[in-house]
Amino acid sequence: MENILSAAQQLMSPAALAAIVLGTVYGTIVGALPGLGSVIAITIVLPFTYSMDAIPSIALVLAIYCSSVYGGSLSAILINTPGTPQSAATLLDGYPMTRKGRAAEAIGWATISSVIGGLFSVAVLIIAAPQLARVALRFGPIETFALICMALTCIAGVSRGSILKGLLAGILGLFLATVGADPMTGAIRFDFGVFNLSAGVSLIPVLVGLFALAEVFCRAAERAGTPIPKTESSGFVVPPFREWWLRKRTLIKSAAIGTFVGILPGTGASTASFIAYSEAKRSGRFRDKFGTGEPEGLIASETSNNAVTGGALVPTLALGIPGDPVTAVVMSTLIIQGIQPGVRLFADNADLMNAAFLALILCNLMLLVVAAAGSRLLTRVLSMPEPVLFTMVVVLSLVGSYGVNGNMFDVLVTFIAGIAGVAFRYIGVPVAPIVIGLVLGPIFEESLRQSLILTDGSFGAFFTLSHPIALGLFALAALLMAFAIATEIRGMQRKPAPDAPEI
Amino acid sequence: MKIHRMLCATRREFAAATLAFGALAMPLHAQDAYPSDTVTLLIPWAAGGATDVAARAIQPTLAEQLGTDVIIKNVSGAAGTIGTAEAARARPDGYTVLVTSAGPVAVQPHLRKLPYDLDSFKPVGRVSLTPMLTMVPQDSPYNTIEELIAAAKENPGQITAGSSGAGTLPHLAILALNKAAGIELKHIPFQGSNAAIKELLGGTVALFSDQSQSAPKYELNGLLAWSGERLEEYPDVPTMKDLGYDIEMGNWIGVFVPLDTPEEIATALNEALNNTLNDPEVLQNFADLLLAPSPTSIEEFDAFARANYEFSREMLQDAGLVQ
């Protein structure tokens, strides 16, 4: 109790509070801009933190981290463009809600889900970081490969319409992920003599092209199409408690999935949100309405991707091993402030850590305030004339895809992905599986090949009792796949009545 | 009225976008005495990586020393070669300055066909040189490098060694140790040092060679130092030279400009860089980041980079990886 009070006292300085408020606002904006993600948001302020005191700079970086993950959902909901790859699953139900004129409500669901996911993961971080970090260490290449196999079964979950087309799209995504340097030997693959292709196909340009540009192209093509119903600029609608209660299982499950995936280094928030989304689609109360603007889909994606924030800090703080570029930047800020993450962190820096935990809680709560204050302005974007809105989306998309690597080639990739996205819509191929393939492809290949080096090329050695965690995950993956196929077959048998509820 | 307010919102959004992109913008150059305009440090790695963090630690002081604005531009991809290629193509006017680790300039040119080589650059100076150490976990069965080498001779291809990727220094260290001691370690590349250290702590790999400061940080034991002299912190750990092999390796970050840049500009940059590396605040930041500042003259750095380039070619050639 005394510790908490002293931590609170340290945080109650004007500088620290200002850092939380400004960090949250700034992080939300940068997160919402397509292409600019958490890493860029934090690195831009990094030089400032060198001259700041420890607590304000830690609070600033944590606030930016949490809010930038959340910010990506706003553009996903409003303009069908995930601001960050973490929010790719958010648009599957977020944008359909906007098209029905329920944007303010969608922002309400997304915001509160994000806050709940964030707070849940912070609680886990505070209570069990050192213990969970040891679990993360037991996740070697074989375990990671098993987890990614399980995650790949999500493709079936997000393939609306035809599961076959969905699987093909997923394979296309996996194939795109193999372009560029071989992760094991460094040899360049599929570059066709184009030097820029040796860097591979970047995720964000493809994401922005497939969703944002394709949407603009399609809307421009169907001039007489249905306009988006006007959203009242009421900003932020808090969904009633009863509605939440109906979806509580998805909420809890997604928070747990997000935190768990976050703890494993190298997997990331995009993986978590797709796993949570497809799990909700499998078991959620409103699973039949997924993809048509069902809040449960939003809950799954947003709860889990924000739950990753606290989870990802577990190995970062307790082991000193950041799992992704974002937490690596967070860690370098801590180091500059004289805090050495690692096994002794919680013993050596208890005071600072308590303040940091408290700051994390405040940052998550701050999201509510920022959303409430800012969403009125944001939803007004939708009342713009379509030509203005589309122009803005195109400009933001292109600037964003340039910003990822600072490379004009990525802008070209965005255009190509945009045109491909239009083609996919006309032939009824879902594009979400492509994104899943591209997100999971690199880590799928890497962990598989690392595992094969370990076992001297034997696949059989993956399925032995010396890797119990992997065995469990493989079994789960097989079950999920069997379930997806069974659902598909049942669906085919019932073709005559397409609206009949499943099971 | 409504339209007006709408436009305000748009403008605000654009202002935010512009703000966020300030750090990435390209400068326009004037023709006055150098430096009369913004200097761009081009980092061929993503924001937040080790090289980027080091560059950001010297950025404010370097700007003071040069008396101009210094901004950082990250052009990442393909093991740093995309950004390095861009730096090689840049106008040789000293306003685009490459800050990079060894990989893109001294190793990658041997591994793949690139539109540049080490010869495309004029060296400016070294930022840091961090000694390398071969490390094992505390519960490792090997207490000395001799024990490890003996075990590797008994079980060829069975002892696993991690690296932070193909063609990285930790990978070169494995190749050098294999060659020198006549052993065969099983190499498993991971994406970056953090991933490799995680697998070292988790027991997937038995050893990993990286910057020596990682050892106290992750409570690892040092077996072999790759520096010229024994490390102060590890007086009992032998160097490669102690074992009778004339090999020295270290993690370095250096500064380059395009080859045709005038000599006086390189000299001005070298001077500003070396003054920056003597600044107390920069030294403190480097100490926190576990980087050892290592200023050099242009000639010293030139010879150093070339020796590094030749060494990595030799190692990779023996391993059959040179394309």
Side-chain angles (χ1 to χ4, degrees), chain A residues 216-466:
Chain A
V216 170
F217 292 162
C218 285
R219 301 277 299 163
E222 50 183 59
R223 286 290 310 164
T226 45
I228 299 177
K230 293 278 176 273
T231 302
E232 288 302 310
S233 297
S234 51
F236 179 87
V237 174
V238 178
F241 180 76
R242 219 188 77 81
E243 296 283 302
W244 284 101
W245 191 248
L246 291 173
R247 297 166 174 89
K248 62 181 182 301
R249 280 169 57 97
T250 294
L251 187 69
I252 295 166
K253 248 196 246 172
S254 307
I257 290 173
T259 310
F260 177 70
V261 173
I263 289 168
L264 307 174
T267 34
S270 331
T271 312
S273 61
F274 278 119
I275 294 181
Y277 186 87
S278 82
E279 170 57 24
K281 186 157 193 259
R282 190 186 69 81
S283 65
R285 182 187 287 252
F286 301 97
R287 56 181 171 267
D288 298 336
K289 291 195 211 141
F290 270 48
T292 62
E294 164 52 46
E296 199 164 9
L298 267 180
I299 293 179
S301 167
E302 278 306 305
T303 312
S304 60
N305 70 19
N306 274 72
V308 165
T309 56
L313 287 172
V314 167
T316 309
L317 297 178
L319 299 171
I321 297 176
D324 56 17
V326 192
T327 40
V329 188
V330 172
M331 192 167 103
S332 63
T333 317
L334 295 180
I335 291 171
I336 286 281
Q337 295 303 335
I339 302 167
Q340 188 62 60
V343 276
R344 286 186 310 273
L345 173 69
F346 296 93
D348 291 357
N349 289 301
D351 265 10
L352 268 182
M353 282 333 291
N354 285 332
F357 290 149
L358 208 59
L360 263 176
I361 295 172
L362 281 182
C363 298
N364 275 296
L365 294 175
M366 208 37 224
L367 286 180
L368 279 178
V369 182
V370 169
S375 53
R376 183 180 291 268
L377 192 76
L378 276 169
T379 43
R380 197 173 289 152
V381 166
L382 294 176
S383 50
M384 284 183 183
E386 282 201 347
V388 177
L389 179 64
F390 289 162
T391 312
M392 211 176 79
V393 171
V394 171
V395 169
L396 285 178
S397 303
L398 296 184
V399 168
S401 39
Y402 172 77
V404 186
N405 300 315
N407 195 338
M408 273 312 281
F409 181 74
D410 286 334
V411 177
L412 184 69
V413 172
T414 311
F415 265 114
I416 295 172
I419 293 163
V422 175
F424 287 141
R425 281 194 196 196
Y426 280 104
I427 57 176
V429 171
V431 290
I434 301 178
V435 174
I436 297 179
L438 199 52
V439 167
L440 298 178
I443 179 166
F444 176 74
E445 179 187 3
E446 199 192 310
S447 58
L448 169 62
R449 293 182 59 187
Q450 284 162 350
S451 305
L452 285 173
I453 297 178
L454 272 176
T455 62
D456 292 315
S458 154
F459 273 106
F462 292 9
F463 309 100
T464 57
L465 284 176
S466 51

Side-chain angles (χ1 to χ4, degrees), chain A residues 73-303:
Chain A
S73 68
L74 295 175
S75 33
I77 290 169
L78 293 174
I79 56 175
N80 199 30
T81 309
T84 57
Q86 293 101 306
S87 299
T90 305
L91 59 75
L92 297 175
D93 278 292
Y95 189 64
M97 283 185 81
T98 298
R99 300 271 319 238
K100 290 179 182 168
R102 293 161 65 199
E105 203 186 314
I107 293 179
W109 284 104
T111 308
I112 295 172
S113 300
S114 296
V115 173
I116 293 174
L119 289 177
F120 177 88
S121 68
V122 175
V124 172
L125 171 72
I126 295 173
I127 296 166
Q131 294 79 359
L132 287 170
R134 276 200 288 278
V135 176
L137 281 184
R138 296 202 53 192
F139 250 75
I142 296 179
E143 285 78 12
T144 307
F145 175 67
L147 179 79
I148 298 302
C149 283
M150 198 192 89
L152 279 173
T153 61
C154 300
I155 289 176
V158 296
S159 305
R160 283 207 304 139
S162 158
I163 202 162
L164 195 62
K165 284 178 179 169
L167 290 177
L168 283 172
I171 288 169
L172 177 66
L174 286 173
F175 168 71
L176 285 177
T178 63
V179 175
D182 180 312
M184 297 293 111
T185 66
I188 304 295
R189 307 177 295 196
F190 306 116
D191 70 333
F192 304 103
V194 179
F195 177 56
N196 274 304
L197 271 182
S198 65
V201 180
S202 303
L203 172 63
I204 290 173
V206 173
L207 196 63
V208 166
L210 282 180
F211 288 106
L213 283 194
E215 173 75 14
V216 170
F217 292 162
C218 285
R219 301 277 299 163
E222 50 183 59
R223 286 290 310 164
T226 45
I228 299 177
K230 293 278 176 273
T231 302
E232 288 302 310
S233 297
S234 51
F236 179 87
V237 174
V238 178
F241 180 76
R242 219 188 77 81
E243 296 283 302
W244 284 101
W245 191 248
L246 291 173
R247 297 166 174 89
K248 62 181 182 301
R249 280 169 57 97
T250 294
L251 187 69
I252 295 166
K253 248 196 246 172
S254 307
I257 290 173
T259 310
F260 177 70
V261 173
I263 289 168
L264 307 174
T267 34
S270 331
T271 312
S273 61
F274 278 119
I275 294 181
Y277 186 87
S278 82
E279 170 57 24
K281 186 157 193 259
R282 190 186 69 81
S283 65
R285 182 187 287 252
F286 301 97
R287 56 181 171 267
D288 298 336
K289 291 195 211 141
F290 270 48
T292 62
E294 164 52 46
E296 199 164 9
L298 267 180
I299 293 179
S301 167
E302 278 306 305
T303 312

Side-chain angles (χ1 to χ4, degrees), chain B residues 52-84:
Chain B
D52 176 71
V53 170
R56 281 174 208 271
I58 60 169
Q59 177 191 7
T61 316
L62 189 63
E64 266 168 45
Q65 288 293 333
L66 287 169
T68 183
D69 288 335
V70 171
I71 61 170
I72 286 179
K73 181 182 181 193
N74 300 88
V75 182
S76 54
T81 55
I82 302 279
T84 307

